[in-house]
Amino acid sequence: MESSTSEFLRGVLKTIVLKLLAERGTMYGYEITQAVKERTKGQITLTFGALYPVLHKLEQDGLLVTKSVEVDGRLRKYYSLTPRGTETAIQKVSDFERFMDAMRALLFPPSSLSLGHS
Amino acid sequence: MEKLSSQQITRLRHHLIQNGSDESLLSELVDHMACEVEYYMWIGLPFETAIDKAMLEASSDAVGTLQETYRDALTLKQENMAQASLDDIVFETRNKAYGAYYLRQNYGNSLRDALLGGAGFFLMLIGLISGLNQGKWSYMTLSGAMWLVGISCVAFSGFSWFIQNMKQKYMVVND
């Protein structure tokens, strides 16, 4: 389970990050990992090694903007979506939903169809 | 929720540096680890156990993988690489808006302006001195011609320098 989860996760990491930011507006890295953990009841845990490259990449692509704030004696970097990021978030989520539908159809073919062939 | 002291944060920072974290991610990772430690302490672990647990998660392997993924994700892609200048490569992960990138990019222009301006000023001086020595000023003599060439060089370089300055002042850094 562990290894295949991280394998699947790699493809949807961007979507997850964009979706969470679209909902909550502004988040920092640790907050994102916690939100993912909470929602999936611990089934999916993002490691920092997976998360930060994606965040920086999205920032480089102009989908996110950052703001550094000093909190408890250390710098905390808050991420939020740019207008283009918001568009991309909507697009990615709907794409992913369609993909999941397709996967479901692939894994559980409707029984009428299989009857028709036999 | 208990907060970490600055010494404890420094310890995390050292741990990360020792395990190979570089500047671009360091402060963020420190915050991430600090949050983790604080969380472990909140659920009841003593500080030493909490920090050990967090440090174990940020082992040199984990940080190394992170740096590698980071480089793969963010460095110039092969197709951009073909048309990237050395400046682009050097400034790939650096702050371009700060000014050094601009200075480097326009080094050629600045050099041309400075040379032309210097040479022009020199010609003007020589032309003026030798013209004055002859006692009678005429643009048709050698000294007059030197003066003319000199003054046009200085004017050109001054104008070009001015334009460049304006460009830099009102430039929108698209990065």
Side-chain angles (χ1 to χ4, degrees):
Chain A
M1 169 75 185
E2 267 300 295
S3 71
S4 45
T5 303
S6 64
E7 195 183 317
F8 297 146
L9 206 52
R10 219 169 298 147
V12 290
L13 211 50
K14 272 187 191 177
T15 316
I16 294 172
V17 168
L18 289 171
K19 167 74 176 149
L20 282 174
L21 283 171
E23 275 177 32
R24 304 227 186 147
T26 309
M27 293 175 97
Y28 57 96
Y30 182 74
E31 197 183 355
I32 295 176
T33 63
Q34 288 312 96
V36 170
K37 207 159 112 185
E38 256 167 52
R39 283 197 185 188
T40 60
K41 305 203 169 55
Q43 286 202 61
I44 294 178
T45 45
L46 296 185
T47 58
F48 63 84
L51 177 67
Y52 288 105
V54 168
L55 282 173
H56 284 231
K57 175 73 183 152
L58 289 171
E59 186 192 356
Q60 194 190 44
D61 293 346
L63 303 180
L64 303 183
V65 281
T66 61
K67 204 175 135 203
S68 290
V69 180
E70 200 182 315
V71 181
D72 305 324
R74 53 200 196 236
L75 274 184
R76 180 164 291 169
K77 209 162 158 189
Y78 285 96
Y79 294 85
S80 49
L81 292 174
T82 61
R84 203 149 65 81
T86 314
E87 274 169 36
T88 315
I90 296 167
Q91 181 67 40
K92 286 247 179 213
V93 169
S94 82
D95 284 354
F96 186 53
E97 270 169 353
R98 274 213 312 233
F99 179 75
M100 281 198 295
D101 284 343
M103 284 306 283
R104 217 166 281 134
L106 191 70
L107 294 175
F108 312 106
S111 48
S112 61
L113 208 77
S114 45
L115 276 178
H117 278 287
S118 59
Chain B
M1 197 155 151
E2 209 175 328
K3 299 293 173 201
L4 296 186
S5 70
S6 63
Q7 275 156 322
Q8 291 166 330
I9 290 170
T10 312
R11 212 170 127 191
L12 291 177
R13 184 180 294 271
H14 279 310
H15 174 81
L16 282 167
I17 293 172
Q18 266 168 16
N19 282 307
S21 167
D22 76 8
E23 208 50 50
S24 50
L25 283 160
L26 186 60
S27 59
E28 226 171 349
L29 289 182
V30 168
D31 183 51
H32 188 98
M33 278 183 79
C35 287
E36 251 171 5
V37 174
E38 282 168 1
Y39 171 73
Y40 291 141
M41 285 163 76
W42 182 68
I43 59 173
L45 295 178
F47 170 73
E48 283 303 323
T49 321
I51 199 169
D52 281 349
K53 203 162 148 54
M55 281 178 175
L56 204 66
E57 277 169 40
S59 65
S60 63
D61 273 356
V63 177
T65 318
L66 163 64
Q67 293 294 347
E68 212 171 284
T69 326
Y70 187 78
R71 268 195 298 274
D72 284 351
L74 275 96
T75 42
L76 289 165
K77 292 284 164 284
Q78 212 60 41
E79 57 264 34
N80 297 338
M81 206 63 169
Q83 40 184 297
S85 70
L86 279 178
D87 288 343
D88 289 326
I89 297 167
V90 167
F91 279 85
E92 172 63 29
T93 56
R94 293 178 174 81
N95 184 1
K96 287 185 183 168
Y98 182 66
Y101 181 68
Y102 181 83
L103 282 182
R104 269 173 182 262
Q105 267 201 322
N106 288 284
Y107 179 75
N109 285 344
S110 308
L111 185 69
R112 184 199 61 204
D113 291 347
L115 276 179
L116 268 182
F121 184 70
F122 192 66
L123 279 176
M124 275 170 76
L125 263 186
I126 296 184
L128 191 67
I129 290 170
S130 63
L132 285 179
N133 272 348
Q134 284 165 11
K136 191 165 66 80
W137 182 255
S138 158
Y139 283 111
M140 298 321 279
T141 59
L142 183 64
S143 50
M146 276 163 95
W147 169 266
L148 280 180
V149 172
I151 205 167
S152 43
C153 281
V154 170
F156 174 81
S157 63
F159 185 68
S160 149
W161 175 79
F162 177 76
I163 294 284
Q164 232 188 92
N165 238 15
M166 285 295 121
K167 244 202 268 169
Q168 185 187 15
K169 219 171 191 172
Y170 300 109
M171 183 177 50
V172 182
V173 178
N174 33 19
D175 185 55

